[in-house]
């Protein structure tokens, strides 16, 4: 999977500037952006603020809040200067994304209080696309970005939104700016960065639909795998997750996670849920490791972390795992993680862990 982020930020910003430049001679302070209380001038400045804010948080590795600073425009700055500011702030975010380490994460409040470099890039692109649309609408200008750009944002920070053939219209619907046949218009919306669960030696990193598509197709999903990875089970689980996403059934927190070693940032396996909890609060988990990573307790550590997180939720009461009869190491993993054998079926022995 090719590195994603910096090029897309620059592409979005270039499209924004190209769309708005024909109206630089108008007074943007006197025209409201479409659907907003802000003027077109305020909205354009907000784009620049978002871009530099994301760049600062990612580059500085902010942990508990936004980097405390503000930007201002010099007195007398015209609309051409404002567009140049957007270009400059976009260049800084693109540079921050390109130079950030693969495992870099920094503060963002929604929904899990952090984002990785792809997340910050996707949020920056989303702000540019959405607010350029708002400004263009207020000024009576035509604007529609490349469909692939909208799709790439949807598959990274809108995993809860069922895709449709029209990616731009889906993006507008997902951000409360448009309608799609068969779907009620949104009055509230948020994007959804991936969930990451830390353990002593690992991080369990939620796989996005973009990564799942690449893994299911034989790619690396954007992870740096050790020899032998990803294992077949991770690819298969990614395929199931992708199908759920395409059918509008995917809930990101009950998806698939890559197991990444903290010591070197390399992926060693996968873990996740077979689906969302049923009406009784039951859901099944599964996991695998690449062969070189086995025998070091990583699977037990991951199962414990995922189980603790899940059972702390109100909607989960029981976890279960079905283990093939001859898979002795996996029986040991779930037993060490606190599961107890409760039965068997044609697929193997069933283990459960409740609150």
């Amino acid at each position: 999977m090719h590195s994603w982020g910096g090029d897309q930020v620059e592409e979005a910003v270039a499209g924004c500037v190209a769309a708005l430049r024909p109206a630089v001679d108008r007074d943007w302070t006197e025209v409201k952006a479409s659907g907003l209380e802000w003027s077109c001038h305020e909205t354009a400045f907000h784009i620049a603020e978002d871009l530099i804010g994301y760049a600062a948080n990612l580059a500085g590795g902010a942990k508990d809040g936004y980097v405390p600073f503000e930007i201002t425009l010099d007195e007398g700055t015209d609309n051409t200067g404002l567009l140049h500011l957007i270009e400059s702030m976009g260049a800084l975010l693109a540079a921050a994304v390109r130079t950030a380490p693969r495992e870099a994460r920094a503060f963002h409040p929604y929904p899990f209080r952090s984002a990785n470099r792809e997340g910050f890039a996707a949020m920056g692109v989303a702000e540019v696309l959405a607010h350029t649309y708002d400004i263009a609408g207020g000024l009576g200008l035509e604007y529609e970005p490349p469909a692939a750009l909208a799709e790439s944002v949807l598959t990274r920070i809108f995993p809860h939104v069922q895709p449709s053939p029209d990616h731009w219209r889906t993006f507008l619907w997902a951000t409360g700016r448009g309608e799609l046949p068969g779907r009620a218009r949104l009055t509230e919306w948020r994007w959804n960065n991936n969930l990451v669960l830390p353990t002593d030696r690992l991080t369990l990193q939620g796989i996005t639909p973009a990564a799942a598509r690449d893994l299911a197709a034989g790619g690396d999903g954007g992870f740096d795998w050790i020899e032998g990875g990803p294992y077949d089970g991770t690819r298969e689980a990614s395929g199931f997750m992708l199908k759920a996403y395409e059918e509008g059934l995917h809930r990101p927190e009950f998806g698939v996670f890559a197991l990444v070693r903290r010591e070197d940032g390399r992926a060693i396996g996968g873990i996740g849920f077979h689906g969302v909890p049923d009406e009784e609060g039951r859901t099944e988990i599964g996991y695998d490791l690449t062969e070189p990573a086995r025998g070091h307790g990583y699977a037990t550590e991951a199962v414990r972390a995922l189980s603790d997180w899940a059972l702390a939720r109100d909607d989960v009461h029981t976890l279960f795992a079905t283990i093939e009869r001859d898979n002795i190491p996996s029986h040991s993993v779930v037993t060490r993680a606190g599961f107890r054998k409760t039965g068997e079926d044609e697929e193997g022995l069933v283990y459960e862990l409740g609150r």
Side-chain angles (χ1 to χ4, degrees):
M1 185 175 179
H2 297 296
S3 179
W4 185 93
D7 291 351
Q8 287 71 27
V9 171
E10 290 178 342
E11 181 182 8
V13 168
C16 163
V17 172
L20 302 182
R21 185 173 281 131
V24 292
D25 292 336
R26 295 178 58 182
D27 186 352
W28 291 6
T29 64
E30 294 299 318
V31 180
K32 280 190 176 182
S34 177
L36 303 181
E37 292 299 317
W38 294 336
S39 71
C40 290
H41 185 279
E42 290 171 318
T43 307
F45 185 68
H46 174 74
I47 293 174
E49 287 182 309
D50 282 335
L51 292 170
I52 189 58
Y54 294 155
N57 266 35
L58 178 59
K63 300 302 180 187
D64 301 314
Y66 290 110
V67 176
F69 74 100
E70 294 182 356
I71 61 171
T72 59
L73 284 172
D74 289 343
E75 187 174 350
T77 299
D78 60 11
N79 292 332
T80 298
L82 181 54
L83 291 181
H84 183 53
L85 178 68
I86 292 174
E87 289 178 311
S88 301
M89 300 302 98
L92 290 175
L93 176 57
V97 170
R98 290 189 179 112
T99 57
R102 182 191 299 268
E103 293 304 298
R105 293 192 75 84
F107 172 81
H108 188 274
Y110 188 80
F112 303 117
R113 299 189 64 78
S114 74
N116 60 12
R117 62 187 186 182
E118 279 201 2
F120 276 104
M123 291 187 292
V125 173
E127 293 283 3
V128 174
L129 299 187
H131 290 311
T132 302
Y133 174 82
D134 299 335
I135 299 168
L139 295 172
L141 301 171
E142 295 294 326
Y143 173 69
E144 182 168 337
L149 192 58
E151 181 189 20
S152 65
V153 172
L154 291 168
T155 57
R156 283 168 173 84
I157 58 172
F158 290 90
H160 52 294
V161 172
Q162 183 179 11
S164 81
D166 191 330
H167 305 303
W168 174 233
R169 303 300 165 206
T170 303
F171 175 84
L172 292 176
W173 176 84
T175 57
R177 288 169 166 80
E179 297 182 0
L180 278 180
R183 305 190 198 185
R185 184 158 184 161
L186 297 180
T187 57
E188 295 183 357
W189 63 274
R190 288 189 184 274
W191 52 55
N192 198 317
N193 280 295
N194 67 326
L195 172 64
V196 171
L197 302 174
T199 73
D200 289 341
R201 297 180 296 165
L202 303 170
T203 56
L204 282 60
Q205 301 185 15
I207 292 175
T208 64
R213 178 178 296 158
D214 188 65
L215 284 164
D220 58 19
F223 298 96
D224 181 17
W225 292 88
I226 66 170
E227 182 182 357
Y231 202 64
D232 291 345
T234 300
R235 294 197 187 281
E236 184 179 12
S238 296
F240 289 139
M241 181 191 129
L242 183 62
K243 182 180 180 181
Y245 166 69
E246 291 172 345
E247 294 177 351
L249 303 175
H250 177 52
R251 282 174 57 186
E253 64 272 33
F254 289 103
V256 183
F257 299 78
L259 306 182
V260 179
R261 287 193 306 220
R262 296 165 72 97
E263 66 180 28
D264 58 7
R266 304 196 71 188
I268 62 171
I271 191 171
F273 301 92
H274 289 205
V276 300
D278 64 18
E279 294 180 355
E280 297 178 350
R282 286 172 52 85
T283 185
E284 184 175 6
I285 66 167
Y287 51 88
D288 65 20
L289 291 177
T290 57
E291 291 190 14
R294 296 172 187 174
H296 302 283
Y298 290 128
T300 301
E301 190 170 326
V303 171
R304 283 173 175 161
L306 191 65
S307 299
D308 288 346
W309 175 85
L311 291 172
R313 297 174 57 93
D314 292 338
D315 54 353
V316 179
H317 295 273
T318 306
L319 299 175
F320 69 96
T322 304
I323 312 295
E324 295 175 349
R325 289 172 177 80
D326 59 353
N327 190 346
I328 303 304
S330 196
H331 290 286
S332 299
V333 166
V334 293
T335 300
R336 287 195 298 268
F339 286 67
R340 63 183 182 86
K341 187 169 64 177
T342 58
E344 58 184 292
D345 58 27
E346 59 184 17
E347 296 183 7
L349 303 184
V350 179
Y351 292 80
E352 290 189 356
L353 178 65
R355 291 183 180 178

